[in-house]
Amino acid sequence: MSSIPIIGFSAYSGTGKTTLIEKLILCLKSKNLHLAVIKHDAHNFDIDHEGKDSWRFSNAGADIMLISSDTKTALVEQRPRTFQQNIEMIHDVDLILVEGYKQENIPKIGICRKATNKGLPFSPKDYIAIATDDDSIKNNTSTPCFALDDIDGLAQFIIEQTNI
């Protein structure tokens, strides 16, 4: 596993994982931290757009297509990669945030929004922390709980947990 600290975020679809992570990124970046985010997508995403050079190369059969400019780089691989292979690609950051991959054995923060009526995917004891507005979860666990809008508190917790 990576020597870079990893924190996963686990919740059912529609709970607000992306929004919470986005706010955490802004908060952690304000503390001068370098971050990576790995997101699992179950919907066969596509970042190549038909007609663009990168799409043409991939469409012609390139197994790997890398496009780079002065400001960003993207790698498109026409094959699946394991979580571990993805982690191994990350370097020169202080922290890796993971959305999805909820079956991976990494420290996770559970997210639960009462309005969804979905609860948590796993038992509260399986998380290092929980972000929720559901008092029934907060009142029935010893796992640290944060309000969904307590981004500063959650960021500080992450910093303390990962020693960054």
Side-chain angles (χ1 to χ4, degrees), residues 19-38:
T19 300
L20 184 91
I21 294 168
E22 180 182 32
K23 290 176 181 178
L24 272 171
I25 291 168
L26 291 167
C27 184
L28 293 167
K29 289 298 289 181
S30 75
K31 299 174 186 319
N32 296 316
L33 294 173
H34 295 92
L35 307 171
V37 178
I38 296 177

Side-chain angles (χ1 to χ4, degrees), residues 98-153:
V98 177
E99 181 179 337
Y101 291 102
K102 62 184 164 197
Q103 300 300 331
E104 292 297 325
N105 186 23
I106 59 174
K108 292 178 193 70
I109 295 172
I111 305 168
C112 174
R113 187 173 304 279
K114 190 174 180 178
T116 67
N117 288 321
K118 294 180 182 177
L120 291 163
F122 304 108
S123 169
K125 68 178 175 34
D126 294 329
Y127 298 102
I128 61 168
I130 298 169
T132 187
D133 60 357
D134 189 337
D135 288 336
S136 68
I137 290 175
K138 290 179 188 177
N139 296 332
N140 292 302
T141 185
S142 60
T143 301
C145 290
F146 296 85
L148 290 167
D149 61 355
D150 185 8
I151 301 304
D152 289 331

Side-chain angles (χ1 to χ4, degrees), residues 3-18:
S3 62
I4 302 168
I6 301 170
I7 298 287
F9 294 84
S10 175
Y12 290 110
S13 180
T15 304
K17 292 183 301 287
T18 300

